[in-house]
């Protein structure tokens, strides 16, 4: 009896192992010839994975139009595989693990992590390909953008060049600013807005929220205005920009205490929405047009137009507190990488090159087909047809956004201003550094639990920081902040040496 | 399936109490289960009510059981361009019907085979089935199996085949079929009935409660599924209803969690409003909620018998 059972189990296990092994075996990468001429290129099909807010209904028409262009230029067709942002991570992990073939995939530091997947060996090293197959691409972006994309000195992903800066400050509804004749130039730091909040609280109906906050707090998006840069997940550990080699616990700084006191003060005075500590999706409130003042970290040129739509059609003004700032994190928010097992890496690189340098291709993939998905208002300005079945409204997923048409209503000067902001931005002293959290994974997870427990109520002013801040800091310490700081210091040191 | 379990508990509890205990305590227990049922129903009612509430009132005064300002805007928005929704409905119905019929057939066949006491390898076969409830190959081997060996990627088969046989359902049904006496089958055999004839004319009618119960469970599984679609379907014309809903919900959630610290712009206004989302949820859940009560009477015999035998 026992023997029989053993045989059955052994058989089942053996069979499953064979199945796994078969599936895992991948075709060997072919070494392809270099320096081929365009005419000699054999026809290939590339597969490109990327995420969007929603999968467009009319992707087929766009794919056809894209292929018409690529066939003529690099004799390749492209299969567009669109996913949603929420599914993307899981889907791509499965694709990579199962060895399913694809050529190009979108990656970033906030979705399907660039660093993590590179260390798993998912991406092809691109430096040689860039030099030989993408002549225009290298020059199309400033040097520091390429620096930010480097992992241990090598490029594994091509950034989609767009706004690479952050600028922190207030988004204020114009109607209130006008009504109370707000002097914008008087606002230099967070607490300068307080008199205005007071006016709104006293002068407007109860449904208007003077200062909108949600459960994620605002502190994590204002390190720059406080002279710091956050590095680890959950923004626990970062550096003081004056001394960028020594990691600090952001939640133990003077600035944090000051932020909490300000929030507590505003909360008790009723300037902050009462449900802030439990509010997950603040967009529902913003949409009603009831949020008078918000703090945001990406006040980019021309953003007021987008913000108007998001604020229920109310005009807004931007009041920045900082100058544009660029760091690794602001650059690698959207990139294209090539699959290590791609059968046609050269062609994939040529395609990425086109995406970033060919206006016709970029506009087709970003806006669809003229007449069907958009109409031209003038030479460079278009109007998007919302019912056309293709309106991804996210050109930054695809390539260099500076090649794109302007959507009607956006100030034509925006592109120039963005470019200028990118080039003139203050660069982080840690540009290019990426923190690998694998050695301290357990600590990071523990810290996340503590954060979940304390942060929402503390950062919205719901709790009195005098009572709870100490407790929060102690818990963080217990969960292992010291170990994370040590690891970070070690990695910064190692990174400095590779520079 | 918490609602069905509650239904079962409630009924069996009531019977037990009426015969053995005083009225006073039975009233308390009845009251308790009434309250429990209400607790289960309220969230559902809330979803329905939100779907009928005017969006602006909703955002200003929050969720209310009775809509402050009644509005059909959410539904009219969905039915304005019903093409996508109807297509998804069609896929879901097709998958549910085909899947349930074939799945039920295969499940009962397997269960019947391993419940026959004169079948020599029934113990090993049962163990095979049982073994899969303990260990699974994991996601990646499963994905490889379906896409690279069965070549089902982007076909309707990918939505049906993986759920055809569920070991749990087989074991529940086996538990029921174990009670069919072997003598009945043997006598039919002596009268010259073939195996197929025995199965169709005797075994299936005899195990009707189990068939109905398991059939309903299988159809629920197909109806509520978005997972297979997510993994295997890229063709937008083959997207099932629940996946459509899931994508909207999960993307909104994902973006509102992640977007605040990233310098990319996504227009959150392009997502359906709260009441529209709830209307979609109602439309997605509706048909099954209506079907459920009609099958409930079978549950008591169908499931308890199965569970007694384990």
């Amino acid at each position: 009896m026992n023997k029989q059972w053993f045989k059955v189990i052994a058989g089942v296990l053996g069979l499953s192992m064979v199945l796994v092994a078969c599936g895992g075996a991948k075709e060997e990468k072919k070494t392809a010839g270099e320096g081929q001429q365009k005419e000699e290129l054999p026809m290939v099909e590339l597969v490109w994975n990327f995420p969007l807010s929603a999968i467009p209904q009319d992707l087929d028409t766009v794919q056809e139009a894209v292929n018409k262009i690529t066939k003529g230029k690099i004799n390749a067709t492209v299969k567009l595989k669109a996913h949603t942002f929420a599914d993307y991570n899981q889907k791509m992990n499965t694709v990579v693990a199962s060895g399913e073939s694809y050529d190009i995939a979108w990656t970033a530091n906030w979705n399907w992590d660039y660093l993590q997947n590179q260390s798993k060996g998912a991406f092809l090293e691109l430096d040689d390909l860039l030099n030989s197959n993408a002549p225009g691409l290298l020059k199309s972006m400033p040097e520091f953008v390429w620096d930010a994309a480097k992992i241990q000195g090598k490029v594994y992903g091509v950034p989609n060049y767009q706004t690479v800066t952050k600028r922190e400050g207030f988004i204020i509804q114009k109607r209130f600013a006008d009504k109370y004749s707000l002097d914008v130039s008087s606002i230099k730091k967070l607490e300068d807005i307080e008199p205005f909040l007071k006016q709104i609280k006293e002068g407007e109906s109860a449904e208007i929220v003077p200062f909108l906050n949600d459960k994620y707090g605002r502190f994590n998006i204002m390190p720059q205005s406080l002279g710091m840069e956050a590095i680890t997940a959950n923004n626990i550990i970062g550096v003081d920009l004056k001394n960028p080699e020594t990691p600090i616990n952001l939640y133990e700084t003077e600035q944090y205490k000051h932020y909490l006191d300000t929030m507590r003060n505003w909360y008790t005075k009723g300037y902050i929405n009462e449900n802030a500590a439990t509010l997950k999706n603040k967009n529902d409130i913003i949409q009603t047009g009831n949020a008078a003042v918000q703090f945001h970290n990406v006040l980019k040129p021309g953003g007021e137009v987008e913000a108007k739509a998001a604020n229920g059609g109310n005009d807004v003004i931007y009041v920045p507190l900082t100058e544009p700032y660029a760091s690794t994190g602001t650059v690698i928010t959207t990139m294209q990488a090539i699959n290590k097992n791609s059968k046609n890496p050269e062609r994939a690189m040529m395609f990425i090159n086109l995406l970033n340098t060919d206006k016709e291709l970029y506009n087709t993939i970003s806006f669809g087909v003229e007449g069907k998905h958009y109409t031209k208002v003038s030479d460079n300005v278009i109007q998007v047809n919302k019912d056309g079945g293709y309106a991804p409204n996210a050109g930054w997923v695809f390539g260099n956004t500076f090649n794109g048409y302007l959507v009607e209503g956006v100030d034509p000067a925006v592109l120039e201003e963005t470019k200028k902001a990118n080039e003139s931005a203050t660069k982080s002293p840690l540009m290019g550094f990426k923190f690998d959290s694998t050695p301290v994974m357990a600590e990071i997870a523990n810290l996340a639990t503590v954060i979940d427990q304390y942060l929402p109520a503390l950062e919205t002013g719901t709790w009195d920081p005098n009572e709870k801040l100490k407790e929060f800091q102690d818990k963080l310490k217990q969960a292992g902040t010291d170990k994370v700081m040590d690891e970070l210091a070690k990695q910064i040191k190692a990174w400095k040496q590779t520079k | 399936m918490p609602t069905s379990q509650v239904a079962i508990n409630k009924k069996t509890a009531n019977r037990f109490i009426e015969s053995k205990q005083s009225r006073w305590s039975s009233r308390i227990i009845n009251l308790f289960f009434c309250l429990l049922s209400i607790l289960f129903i309220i969230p559902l009612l809330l979803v329905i009510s939100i779907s009928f509430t005017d969006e602006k009132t909703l955002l200003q005064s929050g969720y209310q059981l009775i809509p402050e300002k009644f509005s059909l805007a959410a539904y009219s928005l969905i039915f304005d361009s019903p093409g996508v929704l109807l297509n998804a409905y069609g896929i879901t119905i097709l998958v549910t019907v085909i899947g349930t019929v074939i799945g039920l057939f295969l499940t009962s066949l397997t269960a019947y085979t391993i419940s026959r006491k004169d079948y020599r390898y029934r113990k090993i076969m049962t163990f095979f089935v049982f073994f899969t409830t303990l260990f699974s190959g994991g996601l990646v081997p499963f994905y490889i199996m379906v896409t690279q060996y069965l070549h089902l990627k982007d076909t309707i088969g990918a939505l049906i085949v993986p759920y055809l046989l569920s070991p749990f359902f087989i074991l529940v049904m086996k538990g029921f079929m174990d009670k069919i006496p072997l003598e009945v089958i043997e006598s039919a055999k002596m009268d010259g009935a073939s195996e197929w004839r025995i199965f169709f004319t005797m075994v299936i009618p005899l195990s009707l409660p189990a068939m109905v119960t398991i059939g309903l469970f299988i159809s629920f599984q197909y109806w509520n599924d978005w997972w297979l679609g997510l993994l295997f379907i890229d063709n937008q014309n083959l997207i099932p209803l629940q996946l459509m809903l899931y994508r909207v919900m999960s993307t909104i959630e994902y973006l509102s969690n992640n977007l605040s610290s990233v310098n990319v712009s996504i227009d959150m206004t392009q997502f359906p409003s709260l009441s529209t989302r709830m209307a979609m949820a109602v439309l997605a859940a509706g048909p099954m909620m209506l079907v459920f009560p009609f099958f409930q009477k079978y549950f008591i015999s169908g499931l308890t018998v199965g569970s007694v035998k384990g």
Side-chain angles (χ1 to χ4, degrees), chain A residues 5 22 87 91 100 110 216, chain B residues 127 143 149 230 254 257 261:
Chain A
W5 282 123
C22 285
D87 303 341
K91 192 115 190 195
E100 193 173 300
W110 58 282
Y216 307 102
Chain B
F127 179 76
Y143 185 82
Y149 290 86
L230 176 65
Y254 182 85
N257 283 358
S261 53

Side-chain angles (χ1 to χ4, degrees), chain A residues 5 12 22 53 55 57 87 91 98 100 110-111 163 166 216 280 288 297 300 306 330 333 393 396, chain B residues 59 84 127-128 140 143 148-149 153 230 234 236 247 250-251 253-254 257 260-261 263 265-267:
Chain A
W5 282 123
V12 171
C22 285
S53 310
I55 299 172
Q57 271 165 47
D87 303 341
K91 192 115 190 195
S98 70
E100 193 173 300
W110 58 282
N111 197 341
T163 315
K166 277 189 182 180
Y216 307 102
K280 262 176 117 175
T288 58
N297 60 339
K300 57 176 186 186
E306 285 166 35
T330 63
T333 47
N393 196 9
W396 50 266
Chain B
L59 292 169
V84 186
F127 179 76
F128 257 131
V140 171
Y143 185 82
Q148 288 167 29
Y149 290 86
K153 192 155 184 168
L230 176 65
D234 288 332
Q236 291 312 295
R247 282 207 166 127
S250 66
T251 307
E253 167 105 339
Y254 182 85
N257 283 358
S260 69
S261 53
N263 55 333
S265 58
I266 290 169
D267 179 11

Side-chain angles (χ1 to χ4, degrees), chain B residues 243-274:
Chain B
L243 179 59
M244 221 172 94
L245 189 64
Y246 164 82
R247 282 207 166 127
V248 173
M249 298 292 205
S250 66
T251 307
I252 291 175
E253 167 105 339
Y254 182 85
L255 292 179
S256 47
N257 283 358
N258 286 278
L259 220 56
S260 69
S261 53
V262 179
N263 55 333
V264 294
S265 58
I266 290 169
D267 179 11
M268 294 295 284
T269 50
Q270 67 179 300
F271 290 105
S273 63
L274 199 61

Side-chain angles (χ1 to χ4, degrees), chain B residues 99-286:
Chain B
T100 308
V101 170
I102 302 180
L104 194 57
F105 177 65
L106 292 180
T107 307
S108 54
L109 261 187
T110 319
Y112 170 62
T113 316
I114 59 176
S115 72
R116 276 275 290 264
K117 286 167 194 73
D118 54 345
Y119 175 50
R120 194 165 158 201
Y121 302 108
R122 62 187 281 257
K123 280 204 168 141
I124 292 183
M125 289 293 286
T126 312
F127 179 76
F128 257 131
V129 174
F130 175 65
F131 188 79
T132 57
T133 62
L134 298 179
F135 302 98
S136 78
L139 177 63
V140 171
F142 171 61
Y143 185 82
I144 292 173
M145 182 77 191
V146 175
T147 56
Q148 288 167 29
Y149 290 86
L150 301 176
H151 299 290
L152 288 176
K153 192 155 184 168
D154 249 351
T155 63
I156 201 121
L159 298 173
I160 297 174
V161 175
Y163 287 160
L164 280 179
L165 271 178
S166 152
F168 176 71
F169 294 157
I170 295 175
L171 292 175
V172 170
M173 196 172 269
K174 174 187 176 286
F176 189 91
M177 286 176 166
D178 275 342
K179 294 202 83 177
I180 299 173
L182 188 63
E183 291 77 18
V184 179
I185 292 160
E186 272 174 347
S187 70
K189 232 179 184 171
M190 267 181 236
D191 290 340
S194 70
E195 287 290 353
W196 283 113
R197 196 184 158 112
I198 295 172
F199 178 69
F200 281 116
T201 56
M202 298 187 64
V203 177
I204 287 189
L206 278 173
S207 43
L208 193 66
M211 294 290 281
V212 175
T213 312
I214 300 295
L216 192 70
F217 281 177
I218 295 178
S219 63
F220 270 144
Q221 192 174 24
Y222 279 112
W223 186 272
N224 289 331
D225 181 67
W226 47 263
W227 173 238
L228 293 178
L230 176 65
L231 279 179
F232 301 120
I233 302 294
D234 288 332
N235 182 345
Q236 291 312 295
N237 296 323
L238 291 179
I239 293 291
L241 190 61
Q242 307 285 356
L243 179 59
M244 221 172 94
L245 189 64
Y246 164 82
R247 282 207 166 127
V248 173
M249 298 292 205
S250 66
T251 307
I252 291 175
E253 167 105 339
Y254 182 85
L255 292 179
S256 47
N257 283 358
N258 286 278
L259 220 56
S260 69
S261 53
V262 179
N263 55 333
V264 294
S265 58
I266 290 169
D267 179 11
M268 294 295 284
T269 50
Q270 67 179 300
F271 290 105
S273 63
L274 199 61
S275 53
T276 315
R277 278 178 257 156
M278 295 302 165
M280 282 171 75
V282 171
L283 290 174

Side-chain angles (χ1 to χ4, degrees), chain B residues 282-299:
Chain B
V282 171
L283 290 174
M288 279 295 156
M289 283 197 294
L290 292 180
V291 166
F292 193 75
F294 293 105
F295 288 89
Q296 215 196 19
K297 62 176 177 177
Y298 291 102
F299 281 172

Side-chain angles (χ1 to χ4, degrees), chain A residues 114-376:
Chain A
Y114 174 55
L115 183 69
Q116 212 174 36
N117 284 294
Q118 189 278 330
S119 70
K120 278 192 213 157
F123 303 144
L124 192 67
E125 190 202 308
L126 301 180
D127 293 85
D128 295 342
L129 285 174
L130 275 167
N131 283 319
S132 54
N133 291 303
L137 181 55
L138 275 175
K139 277 176 271 164
S140 69
M141 292 178 250
E143 195 57 35
F144 77 91
V145 173
W146 291 108
D147 280 344
K150 278 179 186 157
I151 298 174
Q152 285 166 354
K154 304 219 165 66
V155 175
Y156 293 88
V158 177
N160 297 315
Y161 193 39
Q162 50 130 13
T163 315
V164 293
T165 62
K166 277 189 182 180
R167 197 172 191 188
E168 297 164 3
F170 294 109
I171 301 175
I172 300 173
Q173 279 197 23
K174 194 163 179 295
R175 51 182 175 140
F176 299 123
D178 291 347
K179 188 170 167 190
Y180 300 105
S181 37
L182 176 72
D183 176 17
V184 174
S185 63
S186 72
I187 299 171
K188 298 273 179 250
K189 50 188 192 301
L190 181 66
E191 54 277 26
D192 291 344
I193 196 83
E194 195 176 330
F196 182 59
L197 298 180
K198 187 166 185 246
Q199 285 170 325
I200 291 170
K201 174 79 192 167
E202 283 162 4
E204 297 299 320
S205 63
E207 55 196 39
I208 302 293
V209 180
F211 185 81
L212 183 66
N213 207 339
D214 64 14
K215 66 172 283 205
Y216 307 102
R218 302 285 92 189
F219 179 73
N220 65 342
I221 59 167
M222 58 173 72
Q224 168 61 18
S225 47
L226 303 173
M228 307 188 287
E229 183 174 327
I231 291 178
T232 65
N234 283 315
N235 304 298
I236 305 159
I237 312 294
V239 292
D240 190 324
L241 290 173
K242 285 189 215 94
N243 182 13
E245 262 142 81
T246 328
I248 49 168
N249 180 345
L250 297 185
Y251 295 128
E252 280 189 350
T253 54
E254 268 307 302
Q255 291 97 315
Y256 188 59
K257 174 82 172 77
H258 181 75
Y259 163 84
L260 289 187
D261 289 339
T262 312
M263 287 302 132
R264 179 66 185 166
N265 180 17
W266 291 0
Y267 186 82
T268 45
K269 286 181 181 159
Y271 302 160
I272 294 175
N273 45 324
E274 243 173 74
N275 64 350
T278 53
L279 184 67
K280 262 176 117 175
N281 186 359
K282 63 177 185 308
N283 291 298
D284 287 340
I285 293 185
I286 297 175
Q287 267 175 39
T288 58
N290 286 345
V293 179
Q294 303 163 48
F295 190 90
H296 205 272
N297 60 339
V298 191
L299 304 185
K300 57 176 186 186
E304 289 98 333
V305 178
E306 285 166 35
K308 179 180 175 180
N311 277 277
N314 295 302
D315 277 315
V316 298
I317 48 175
Y318 277 0
V319 182
L321 298 181
T322 59
E323 288 307 308
Y325 181 76
S327 65
T328 314
T330 63
V331 176
I332 61 168
T333 47
T334 162
M335 351 174 54
Q336 312 290 354
I338 296 180
N339 182 3
K340 195 163 197 183
N341 299 310
S342 163
K343 284 170 202 146
N344 301 295
E346 291 89 6
R347 213 68 68 82
M349 180 48 85
M350 288 178 203
F351 177 65
I352 294 178
N353 181 39
L354 282 185
L355 275 176
N356 287 286
T357 52
D358 188 283
K359 290 196 180 191
E360 191 192 358
L361 177 64
Y362 175 77
N363 282 317
T364 306
I365 184 77
S366 306
F367 300 107
V369 179
E370 188 182 350
K372 189 164 185 189
H373 305 125
Y374 67 86
T375 43
K376 271 200 170 169

